[in-house]
Amino acid sequence: MDHSLRCFGTLPKLSILLPLSLLLFTFANAAFDLATIPFNDAYSPLFGDANVVRSDDGNAVKLLLDRFTGSGFISSSMYQYGFFSAKIKLPSNYTAGICVAFYTSNGDVFEKAHDELDFEFLGNIAGKPWRFQTNLYGNGSTNRGREERYRLWFDPTKEYHRYSILWTATNVIFYIDEVPIREILRSEEMGGDYPSKPMSLYATIWDASNWATSGGKYKVNYKYAPFVTEFKDLVLKGCSADPIQEISGDEACSGQHADLEAQDYATVTPLRRLAMRRFRQRYMYYSYCYDTLRYTVPPPECVIVPSEKQRFKETGRLRFGGSHRRQSRRRGRTTTPVEDTDQDM
């Protein structure tokens, strides 16, 4: 069965003849008005400096993974809330065991109480698509993973797509192009689990052979190296903040916070919400909110959608396949394991 037709069966008949991506983009409206920043103006290499290759015009950068090292870059400043975005093209062919991450974190400053917002792209064996996950941590809550995992409606190795994280005092939104794929609303019940301290923007490519593909069954094969991830049209919009400053970040950044929250991308409009619902119906294959084996009571930010819930087993996985393992992460940090052993989705 054509699942895209099933998902869009309630739309006008003409719409089911259109590509799914076109429908999603139509729902999400026009492209965001974004001001890009040259790499040298706002970022610097994090590790594997020789594998951080900048374009001649300074507007793009390649991150390489070879048998010697991965690589990464970091923003020059930390930000108290912001919009973090880049157009990214992922490596092609055999990419099993590879993790490409685009994320915000303050783990280098608050090692035991860090905050983090993640896009993590998980490589695959030849002929199988990339998958990806989003996650959120606040105040060192790594034992309470909030993973969601998804597939994409396009081949991320063929052309660039924009991936964005909006982080405000009240909500977090993950975007692909102009399509919101996940929103977390802050609540009092979340307490310190909601990220609230200044964070830097990071991008990395690294060897995650022990967990990234089928729970570590398939490793990085360096016969295909170097693996190259490309970034361009980078965006940083937020209030630069000192994580240990005496003046409250909210007080010093109030004007920039108001400007951030007034941007078009800070609101999930009804059309975008429909696009998000369609994406989640069609492409989300794991959600911690429905994993009753991990959480007998869903975490407070979970919004249980009956039409979503009935699709998932008590493990949080789809009833017809899709599973997870989550073991190690960048720089050796570990979280609660979540299996991912299915390769046919």
Side-chain angles (χ1 to χ4, degrees), residues 14-34:
L14 180 60
S15 69
I16 65 175
L17 302 178
L18 298 174
L20 176 60
S21 59
L22 179 57
L23 284 169
L24 289 173
F25 297 151
T26 300
F27 290 155
N29 292 328
F32 299 138
D33 182 15
L34 303 174

Side-chain angles (χ1 to χ4, degrees), residues 269-281:
T269 64
L271 288 178
R272 288 180 188 149
R273 194 162 299 282
L274 178 58
M276 181 167 64
R277 180 164 63 88
R278 298 301 187 191
F279 170 85
R280 295 171 70 82
Q281 285 177 344

Side-chain angles (χ1 to χ4, degrees), residues 184-198:
I184 301 102
L185 298 176
R186 187 176 192 172
S187 67
E188 290 185 8
E189 291 77 14
M190 286 188 74
D193 282 8
Y194 188 87
S196 58
K197 299 185 293 295

Side-chain angles (χ1 to χ4, degrees), residues 23-24 56 59 132 146 151 157 226 279 303 307 315 336 342:
L23 284 169
L24 289 173
D56 292 338
N59 292 321
F132 75 102
R146 289 173 160 88
R151 293 174 294 117
T157 72
F279 170 85
V303 177
S307 60
T315 57
T336 305
D342 179 69

Side-chain angles (χ1 to χ4, degrees), residues 234-289:
L234 297 157
V235 175
L236 282 177
K237 182 178 177 61
C239 182
S240 177
D242 183 339
I244 56 175
Q245 63 186 357
E246 294 183 3
I247 300 175
S248 165
D250 289 338
E251 178 183 342
C253 297
S254 58
Q256 293 186 58
H257 290 171
D259 180 60
L260 179 68
E261 294 172 7
Q263 298 301 310
D264 178 45
Y265 46 72
T267 302
V268 180
T269 64
L271 288 178
R272 288 180 188 149
R273 194 162 299 282
L274 178 58
M276 181 167 64
R277 180 164 63 88
R278 298 301 187 191
F279 170 85
R280 295 171 70 82
Q281 285 177 344
R282 181 67 179 91
Y283 294 104
M284 184 173 71
Y285 69 89
Y286 172 83
S287 173
Y288 72 104
C289 288

Side-chain angles (χ1 to χ4, degrees), residues 60-202:
V61 62
K62 295 179 181 179
L63 296 183
L64 281 63
L65 167 66
D66 58 30
R67 65 180 64 254
F68 302 105
T69 184
S71 56
F73 63 83
I74 183 174
S75 61
S76 303
S77 299
M78 301 182 76
Y79 295 87
Q80 182 70 48
Y81 308 124
F83 184 76
F84 311 90
S85 183
K87 288 186 176 180
I88 304 173
K89 185 163 67 172
L90 298 174
S92 59
N93 203 346
Y94 184 99
T95 56
I98 294 172
C99 179
V100 174
F102 183 75
Y103 65 106
T104 63
S105 178
N106 49 34
D108 292 337
V109 178
F110 304 102
E111 294 185 7
K112 296 183 179 180
H114 87 285
D115 305 310
E116 189 169 324
L117 296 167
D118 292 326
F119 269 111
E120 290 181 314
F121 304 93
L122 310 176
N124 218 328
I125 59 177
K128 298 295 183 180
W130 280 81
R131 303 180 187 188
F132 75 102
Q133 67 182 22
T134 61
N135 210 339
L136 172 150
Y137 299 105
N139 205 35
S141 58
T142 55
N143 63 329
R144 295 185 293 280
R146 289 173 160 88
E147 301 98 334
E148 288 188 349
R149 285 197 177 185
Y150 328 81
R151 293 174 294 117
L152 291 161
W153 67 92
F154 54 83
D155 184 344
T157 72
K158 298 297 185 183
E159 57 187 13
Y160 289 92
H161 286 268
R162 182 167 291 283
Y163 303 87
S164 307
I165 301 170
L166 171 73
W167 170 46
T168 76
T170 58
N171 70 333
V172 171
I173 305 174
F174 292 89
Y175 281 99
I176 298 179
D177 295 320
E178 286 70 49
V179 180
I181 63 165
R182 179 180 183 183
E183 181 181 29
I184 301 102
L185 298 176
R186 187 176 192 172
S187 67
E188 290 185 8
E189 291 77 14
M190 286 188 74
D193 282 8
Y194 188 87
S196 58
K197 299 185 293 295
M199 292 193 281
S200 300
L201 183 282
Y202 296 78

